[in-house]
Amino acid sequence: MDAGGASPRAAISRWKFAAWRQYQHLLDKSTPHVGRRWAGFVVVALVYALRVYLVEGFYIVSYGLGIYILNLLIGFLSPQVDPEVLDAEGPTLPSSSSDEFRPFVRRLPEFKFWYSITKAFCIAFVMTFFSVFDVPVFWPILLFYWVVLFTLTMRRQISQMIKYKYLPFSSGKQRYDGKRAPPESTSLSEA
């Protein structure tokens, strides 16, 4: 057998692995830089929006992108464990000030949310270069339908957040100044 026949295939495989490792290294280095990552995403989204505006088409691609973003947003705002499922088993959230604090854990972490939404915009941008995806549609109907879908979905999500008293956003690590606040009540359900 000739060893030269496997050499180009092995070289391509090594090159693909090296490229993947470099890409993964860049992703790993970008993890702590939240503001820069989201600024990069805004640039990617603006380039996509400019492309769609200038070519005056690809509205169905934008609609599909909007549905996907809505799906990601629901995952980002939802807790990892659904409180409606646990509600049948009994209360799991603290009901008094002496109960254990359980932090909010997202179903879709922030980094994966950023990575998925950025990748989706990049894929949608590439799709705008192929005329097969430029399906003629009346875009105001798609926009209206998406706004209605967004409104109904977010209303349901916000009502669930209010019902189970969780807030998916935090302003960072809680800081203590050494003074203890006086207890206002003995039960969280009284508030």
Side-chain angles (χ1 to χ4, degrees):
M1 284 232 148
D2 184 19
S7 179
R9 183 173 283 170
I12 290 172
S13 177
R14 281 194 308 270
W15 179 81
K16 283 173 44 178
F17 181 71
W20 177 81
R21 279 187 67 189
Q22 184 65 27
Y23 175 70
Q24 190 63 45
H25 177 71
L26 290 173
L27 277 179
D28 292 343
K29 283 178 65 174
S30 73
T31 301
H33 306 287
V34 177
R36 292 179 184 168
R37 281 191 287 117
W38 283 103
F41 162 73
V42 168
V43 169
V44 169
L46 288 175
V47 167
Y48 173 77
L50 182 66
R51 168 84 177 144
V52 170
Y53 176 75
L54 291 177
V55 298
E56 296 179 355
F58 298 98
Y59 302 120
I60 200 78
V61 173
S62 299
Y63 177 72
L65 179 64
I67 296 295
Y68 183 68
I69 290 170
L70 182 59
N71 185 28
L72 289 175
L73 187 62
I74 291 169
F76 182 69
L77 295 176
S78 299
Q80 189 174 27
V81 179
D82 189 11
E84 288 180 349
V85 173
L86 293 177
D87 198 25
E89 299 171 6
T92 59
L93 295 175
S95 59
S96 68
S97 61
S98 63
D99 283 350
E100 178 183 353
F101 171 72
R102 301 175 108 191
F104 181 80
V105 179
R106 300 179 190 285
R107 185 182 312 160
L108 182 66
E110 183 271 335
F111 182 81
K112 288 185 179 182
F113 178 62
W114 167 81
Y115 181 69
S116 299
I117 200 169
T118 304
K119 188 168 59 170
F121 268 94
C122 291
I123 291 170
F125 180 75
V126 169
M127 289 173 74
T128 62
F129 289 100
F130 299 99
S131 62
V132 71
F133 297 113
D134 192 12
V135 179
V137 294
F138 187 59
W139 67 267
I141 292 176
L142 288 179
L143 180 63
F144 176 74
Y145 183 66
W146 186 84
V147 167
V148 167
L149 190 63
F150 178 82
T151 304
L152 293 175
T153 304
M154 285 298 112
R155 181 182 301 162
R156 185 187 141 277
Q157 189 69 30
I158 291 170
S159 67
Q160 183 182 19
M161 290 164 59
I162 292 170
K163 179 180 178 183
Y164 291 103
K165 299 176 184 166
Y166 67 85
L167 184 64
F169 303 106
S170 64
S171 59
K173 186 176 179 180
Q174 187 175 3
R175 298 178 189 259
Y176 299 98
D177 60 356
K179 299 177 185 174
R180 298 187 101 183
E184 295 178 9
S185 74
T186 58
S187 174
L188 292 175
S189 60
E190 295 176 6

